[in-house]
Amino acid sequence: TGQISSLSVQGMYMYSHQAYSLSDSTHEFDHFYNVARLSVRHSVSFLRKLKLLTGMDGNYQTARSDSAYGHKLRNRNGQALFSSLQYHPHKRLGLQLFFREDLIDGQFSPIQWCVGTQWDIIDRISIIANFSRNHRVPSLNDLYWQPGGNPDLIPESGLSYETGLRYSGSSSNSMVSCGVTWFDSWINDMIVWRPGIGSIWSPLNQKKVHSRGIEADLKMNTGFRSWLFSAVINYNWVRATIESSDRWSAGTEGKLLTN
């Protein structure tokens, strides 16, 4: 039939409980955290050119902390369904379409999606491009950290694209890989931690932010007898500007976003 399928199921549970006091016994602290996760993946390949991947993720977190959460029990219950379709019309060209839907604490998020491609223009050199819609909910720390947490935060969302060039080559005893990528993102209601009254940092939603930049990397491995030598160089340049402000950041349009 030309079909190849696989199914994987993974589960994880982590429990952490810390209780301690200072040497003078005037302060006692109690921290509790547990998380349970379930991951299901199913993939089907057709005629070596088409691959369909579907999956489900489940995540349940519970946390309580004297210092961080005011000794209140905080929960996060999340489920996600996603699907990815990969198509290779040519041995040098790959296309991908991805969709994801999250249900977090009983609330559906906007559908996230991504369209991407990789084209091996010549041996060892590839062009990569992606365009996506993103969504991120505030973390438990963003909402409840004491002092400073902000329970009135709303999720951030945005559109982003990236394009880059990548080279990889190897010989009998060495390997070289390098690449450069340009990325560009427009983010609505970006969650940003800012200093406030009494120098206490607190997260706020920045109405609209434009973030763009360059990422570059170089990795080299070479062997000599029983020795292996490796080198990694990374470079990042990011410029993030405020494109639209709220009342708490009035007059900052066009200025750099700083933390």
Side-chain angles (χ1 to χ4, degrees):
T1 62
Q3 297 185 7
I4 301 175
S5 65
S6 66
L7 174 68
S8 68
V9 180
Q10 295 180 334
M12 184 273 287
Y13 176 76
M14 182 179 69
Y15 175 88
S16 174
H17 186 199
Q18 300 178 356
Y20 57 91
S21 61
L22 300 181
S23 58
D24 58 8
S25 299
T26 57
H27 294 83
E28 295 184 352
F29 299 92
D30 185 80
H31 306 281
F32 162 77
Y33 175 77
N34 71 42
V35 58
R37 290 176 181 166
L38 176 66
S39 174
V40 180
R41 302 285 186 273
H42 180 253
S43 66
V44 181
S45 299
F46 305 89
L47 303 175
R48 299 183 180 180
K49 289 187 176 183
L50 196 63
K51 181 177 180 179
L52 176 65
L53 172 66
T54 56
M56 178 193 72
D57 290 328
N59 185 7
Y60 183 76
Q61 303 176 59
T62 303
R64 185 186 65 235
S65 174
D66 290 339
S67 56
Y69 299 149
H71 204 66
K72 292 183 179 180
L73 192 65
R74 304 297 185 180
N75 302 306
R76 167 65 56 82
N77 186 10
Q79 297 84 37
L81 294 174
F82 65 87
S83 181
S84 171
L85 182 64
Q86 301 175 12
Y87 177 53
H88 293 269
H90 189 272
K91 65 179 181 179
R92 291 183 178 272
L93 179 63
L95 306 172
Q96 182 176 22
L97 183 62
F98 175 86
F99 292 96
R100 178 185 175 100
E101 174 63 59
D102 287 90
L103 176 66
I104 300 178
D105 294 331
Q107 299 291 324
F108 284 101
S109 68
I111 295 177
Q112 301 176 68
W113 51 261
C114 178
V115 180
T117 182
Q118 178 173 329
W119 177 30
D120 299 331
I121 52 177
I122 60 176
D123 290 341
R124 302 181 179 182
I125 298 180
S126 302
I127 293 177
I128 299 172
N130 296 292
F131 181 58
S132 62
R133 179 187 184 185
N134 307 304
H135 181 84
R136 186 176 80 88
V137 298
S139 68
L140 292 179
N141 284 350
D142 292 331
L143 295 170
Y144 306 119
W145 188 268
Q146 295 297 323
N150 183 358
D152 295 323
L153 288 172
I154 61 177
E156 64 179 45
S157 61
L159 296 173
S160 64
Y161 74 87
E162 65 177 23
T163 182
L165 192 66
R166 183 136 212 103
Y167 168 84
S168 60
S170 61
S171 63
S172 59
N173 63 345
S174 64
M175 184 276 291
V176 176
S177 173
C178 61
V180 60
T181 301
W182 168 265
F183 65 88
D184 198 310
S185 300
W186 289 87
I187 307 169
N188 298 314
D189 301 308
M190 184 176 182
I191 300 171
V192 181
W193 282 75
R194 294 277 193 177
I197 300 175
S199 298
I200 295 176
W201 288 67
S202 182
L204 297 167
N205 287 112
Q206 183 66 59
K207 191 171 183 180
K208 182 170 288 188
V209 174
H210 182 202
S211 177
R212 60 277 199 197
I214 297 173
E215 297 177 343
D217 67 90
L218 172 64
K219 302 176 183 178
M220 297 178 290
N221 293 323
T222 185
F224 178 72
R225 295 184 179 178
S226 60
W227 292 86
L228 176 64
F229 300 93
S230 300
V232 178
I233 301 174
N234 293 303
Y235 172 78
N236 294 277
W237 176 83
V238 180
R239 179 180 175 85
T241 53
I242 300 171
E243 301 301 318
S244 181
S245 61
D246 293 333
R247 57 181 179 79
W248 63 269
S249 60
T252 60
E253 291 88 347
K255 295 184 179 180
L256 292 176
L257 177 67
T258 57
N259 288 330

